[in-house]
Amino acid sequence: MLVIKADSEIAKAINRSKLVRQQKQVIRNGKPVMTYVWVNPDKNKQKTGHRKLTDAEIDRAYFNAIQSGNMELVQKMVKDRAIEKGFKDAIPEQGNGYKIRTKRPPQKTKTYYKCFYVDTQGRPSALFVDNNAALPTNVWLEANDTFHFKADNGNYYVPTMGNATNKDAGKTGISVKIPDEETRKELIKRGYLPVGSKASSVTCVAYRPGWHGGDLPFFPQGGKKDKNSNYGNIHRWNQVIFEIEVDADKDYTEEAKAQPKARNKDGSLNEKKADLQYMPENGMYEYTTNPTVKAQTGGKGNWVITGAIKIKRALSQKECDDILKNYGMKPQEWEGGEMSLENLGYTGTELSAARKTLAPITYEDDGTIIPLSQRFNKASDDIRKSFF
């Protein structure tokens, strides 16, 4: 059983759950009257300082707080429980570009690949959007919609920044004219432009909300330019291809292709315009930017855009090369020669993957709420219940 301080949030919630209605005589306008008050019969016991609470008591107070809709109290109870169990090092529940998924995991998933930067500890970070945040691995990450603006050409764009893990990488994208002063102020406020900037344009990528990946382990459209390389671009020295799992509960591919903007005047499909301007929630779609690659590989070469991913393991350069060769593709080279996961500090999938978040509510696979007494359990290998 857990020893809980009498002034902890769990203890307070349990005390409130035990209140009983009693009659009491009070003086009003100089006359004694009977009224009803709510009292805690265990109040004097609580004042002794500490007592052991059962798991049933903890869970009853937790579920009562959830049912009452008091999420501030729920969050405090979770933090209180974590502290009592010796848990201190929580991974962020969310960044600008992601939030950790605490609802039921996807029922259908597919495996793809995604290129990330890695920092000196081997932790992945996104290439373009919210790209200075180390991302937790082996947990489901839902994509947040990000700041975007409508340009004069009618298209939407997302501004990009350089990545802190590779300061010589610069920004990636195309130069887009800033449409108005209001947009300029917002770009300055969000750090895309320096204070006082009078820039007429900003570097952006197309607005396609969601996590981006592909069905081949390379990144030919990005990296560092090299005219003598197989694709005109090579991977930067600290770019690594990871295997990812994507939420495939709903396939939005045909929905994307059916859009009027994805059709030519004769009704034929324009694959390059079959992208969505909204988040593919609880699902994904495949998007083709280079039909030539698909023809060469027999159907491979699609991007995938999804609402949620799980970052699994990093691939070695040899693994990437072998998969590409298997589909008749040339390998994509790395800056500085062969890429070494060991030299980059990558030690495996245990990184931040095994640390538990302080999310107020987490769920079992069947959608039921995990009781608070089952969380922060060092003996569990379930990321929703354990921590390291």
Side-chain angles (χ1 to χ4, degrees):
M1 290 188 293
L2 182 65
V3 176
I4 297 291
K5 293 181 179 179
D7 61 351
S8 72
E9 289 302 328
I10 295 178
K12 290 177 181 177
I14 290 173
N15 291 343
R16 286 190 286 269
S17 70
K18 291 185 173 182
L19 295 179
V20 296
R21 196 167 182 242
Q22 292 184 357
Q23 278 192 324
K24 182 180 180 181
Q25 188 181 67
V26 297
I27 302 300
R28 290 179 181 169
N29 299 322
K31 297 179 180 180
V33 297
M34 298 300 296
T35 186
Y36 286 95
V37 295
W38 292 95
V39 298
N40 182 359
D42 293 334
K43 184 177 180 181
N44 292 332
K45 295 180 183 179
Q46 295 299 322
K47 285 184 177 179
T48 60
H50 299 79
R51 78 176 185 88
K52 290 182 178 180
L53 302 179
T54 66
D55 286 349
E57 287 179 311
I58 292 170
D59 292 337
R60 184 166 57 250
Y62 176 64
F63 283 113
N64 284 344
I66 292 173
Q67 290 172 1
S68 70
N70 190 345
M71 295 311 296
E72 183 178 355
L73 174 60
V74 173
Q75 182 71 83
K76 288 180 178 179
M77 292 175 68
V78 170
K79 291 180 178 179
D80 199 22
R81 170 77 172 182
I83 291 171
E84 292 290 342
K85 297 294 286 186
F87 176 65
K88 298 178 181 178
D89 191 17
I91 50 180
E93 290 176 43
Q94 63 180 0
N96 290 330
Y98 79 92
K99 60 183 176 183
I100 292 176
R101 181 173 183 149
T102 55
K103 61 185 180 184
R104 184 177 64 182
Q107 300 300 290
K108 296 179 182 178
T109 66
K110 291 184 178 181
T111 298
Y112 290 88
Y113 305 100
K114 183 170 177 59
C115 184
F116 293 95
Y117 281 114
V118 295
D119 62 16
T120 55
Q121 295 175 290
R123 300 176 302 183
S125 60
L127 294 181
F128 307 130
V129 179
D130 193 28
N131 53 3
N132 290 325
L135 298 170
T137 56
N138 280 331
V139 292
W140 281 100
L141 305 176
E142 295 185 336
N144 288 336
D145 201 358
T146 54
F147 170 71
H148 54 280
F149 65 90
K150 187 175 184 179
D152 290 342
N153 61 9
N155 295 328
Y156 289 90
Y157 294 94
V158 178
T160 65
M161 290 182 175
N163 189 289
T165 68
N166 196 341
K167 296 186 182 301
D168 68 333
K171 299 178 181 180
T172 299
I174 61 172
S175 180
V176 176
K177 181 182 177 183
I178 299 172
D180 50 51
E181 190 59 29
E182 183 179 353
T183 301
R184 184 197 315 282
K185 289 180 180 178
E186 193 64 28
L187 290 167
I188 292 173
K189 177 182 177 181
R190 293 174 179 268
Y192 295 106
L193 294 174
V195 175
S197 174
K198 300 297 182 183
S200 60
S201 61
V202 64
T203 303
C204 297
V205 292
Y207 175 60
R208 301 183 185 104
W211 294 102
H212 293 203
D215 57 15
L216 290 172
F218 67 155
F219 184 49
Q221 70 273 24
K224 185 175 183 178
K225 293 190 179 300
D226 187 330
K227 64 180 180 180
N228 297 317
S229 65
N230 289 330
Y231 296 98
N233 289 302
I234 60 175
H235 295 291
R236 291 188 176 274
W237 64 273
N238 63 343
Q239 287 181 331
V240 175
I241 304 296
F242 279 74
E243 183 181 274
I244 62 171
E245 202 173 348
V246 310
D247 182 345
D249 277 343
K250 178 179 179 180
D251 191 334
Y252 288 79
T253 303
E254 295 306 315
E255 185 174 317
K257 290 180 178 179
Q259 298 174 103
K261 75 183 186 71
R263 294 289 163 175
N264 297 314
K265 290 183 178 180
D266 62 1
S268 60
L269 176 65
N270 184 340
E271 291 185 311
K272 292 185 177 182
K273 293 186 177 182
D275 56 336
L276 297 177
Q277 300 291 289
Y278 53 88
M279 185 74 69
E281 294 183 1
N282 301 313
M284 45 72 68
Y285 66 99
E286 289 192 335
Y287 171 61
T288 303
T289 60
N290 192 340
T292 304
V293 173
K294 290 184 67 174
Q296 181 179 342
T297 62
K300 291 288 183 178
N302 284 321
W303 286 11
V304 62
I305 300 178
T306 178
I309 64 170
K310 180 190 289 186
I311 306 171
K312 301 189 76 174
R313 65 181 187 91
L315 274 64
S316 67
Q317 181 170 342
K318 184 179 185 305
E319 287 180 291
C320 294
D321 292 350
D322 288 348
I323 293 171
L324 289 169
K325 290 176 182 177
N326 185 53
Y327 287 103
M329 301 290 292
K330 295 180 180 180
Q332 185 176 9
E333 305 91 333
W334 258 266
E335 177 184 18
E338 185 175 354
M339 182 271 291
S340 167
L341 292 175
E342 182 179 357
N343 291 343
L344 288 172
Y346 179 77
T347 58
T349 57
E350 74 279 1
L351 293 175
S352 58
R355 301 212 307 269
K356 189 67 190 74
T357 74
L358 293 178
I361 301 175
T362 53
Y363 296 84
E364 296 280 11
D365 290 349
D366 62 3
T368 58
I369 297 174
I370 296 173
L372 183 55
S373 64
Q374 295 182 23
R375 294 178 60 177
F376 309 106
N377 179 5
K378 293 181 180 180
S380 175
D381 59 1
D382 187 332
I383 184 62
R384 294 165 294 178
K385 302 175 183 178
S386 64
F387 70 91
F388 286 66

